[in-house]
Amino acid sequence: MPTIVITGASDGIGAAGARQLKGRGHDVVLVGRNQAKTAALARELNAPFHTADYTRLSDVKRLAAELGELGRIDVLVNNAGGIMGPRELTADGFEKSFQVNHLAAFLLTRLLLPRLVASRARVIQTASAAANMFGGRFDTADLNNERNYTPLGAYGRSKLANILFTRELDRRHHADGLAAVAFHPGVVRTNFASETTPMMRLVYHSPLKYLLPLSPARSAQRLVRLAEGAPGTDWQPGACYAGQRPMKVVYQDDGTAARLLWEQSEAFVKPWLA
Ligand SMILES: NC(=O)c1ccc[n+]([C@@H]2O[C@H](COP(=O)([O-])OP(=O)(O)OC[C@H]3O[C@@H](n4cnc5c(N)ncnc54)[C@H](OP(=O)(O)O)[C@@H]3O)[C@@H](O)[C@H]2O)c1
């Protein structure tokens, strides 16, 4: 059975996806931030687990070394993420939304590339339609959001980065046998806005949350469909899906921004690649 690694698996869409994939017979490997929460799900599913806090790239490097011990990785689901609060730098010196939602997953994928290519893996990115709503002013010269920071703006740009990273990963490594795809999980009743503005917390962390259209379990069906689907047949490599169809991405890129994002990200994580 395929081995599927899911980050952000301790809660929300990742946890629901892990439950469904395990129930369908896959070997699921859980990655969470919180030891107790991740261990509890690991016990429930009788699955191995790892932890890493994406605000620390040294954690991501250790995680990649641990995951490198797996014989193969058939699917890597880069799902960990959330909306942050006021602008903050991590201990590594990067703006927190950019690091947690994009750079950490970039580093993990980059470190695992030999294993992913050897496994002819699929790499799935949990992106968001927020890329279209709030991802304006995406600027590869300002990836750390020094100008015009708002929590939603930085979140939208980090989710656009997920989409551009998916395209560039697929462009660079499709010929090696790897395939990448991103998806918008819908508007889902989860905790992902727990660290952000009062307005978003009100929507996601009050009884109002039950007005949000999707349960994590419903949303995770999108993840399962991509994880089990065949690239080129069931989904278009390099695309970002919303439901069954590729999502129109408002931000126009002829490939230059995707390439610059990759090059900048690679330069940023260089100390952790050695
Ligand atoms: N919910 C929505 O409406 C929605 C819409 C579009 C896209 N998304 C995307 O869906 C993905 C999953 O989010 P969710 O809605 O399922 O929210 P969630 O229930 O809060 O789950 C987020 C997961 O990411 C982990 N995480 C958060 N910060 C982390 C960090 N610094 N280091 C490592 N892991 C971290 C969380 O760990 P803890 O358990 O320790 O918090 C949790 O496992 C995110 O990428 C989000 O951007 C969600």
Side-chain angles (χ1 to χ4, degrees), residues 148-175:
N148 305 313
Y149 180 88
T150 60
L152 279 176
Y155 177 71
R157 288 189 285 275
S158 73
K159 292 287 129 181
L160 180 58
N162 294 161
I163 293 170
L164 297 177
F165 168 53
T166 295
R167 286 182 191 164
E168 184 67 6
L169 177 64
D170 198 80
R171 189 187 72 76
R172 287 179 180 240
H173 295 288
H174 196 85

Side-chain angles (χ1 to χ4, degrees), residues 7-16 31-35 37-38 51-56 59-60 78-84 96 99-101 104 125-130 155 158-159 162 183-195 200 204-205 212-214 216 219:
T7 73
S10 58
D11 214 331
I13 300 157
V31 179
R33 165 174 58 174
N34 178 294
Q35 171 87 16
K37 271 171 86 173
T38 316
T51 56
D53 185 335
Y54 276 15
T55 61
R56 291 192 292 263
D59 272 26
V60 178
N78 283 317
N79 167 74
I83 308 185
M84 308 306 160
K96 195 173 166 190
Q99 176 163 331
V100 170
N101 294 341
Q125 208 74 29
T126 308
S128 173
Y155 177 71
S158 73
K159 292 287 129 181
N162 294 161
F183 77 109
H184 167 57
V187 178
V188 194
R189 301 189 282 274
T190 67
N191 290 326
F192 91 117
S194 57
E195 297 182 31
M200 290 297 282
Y204 278 86
H205 297 275
L212 299 176
L214 289 182
S219 167

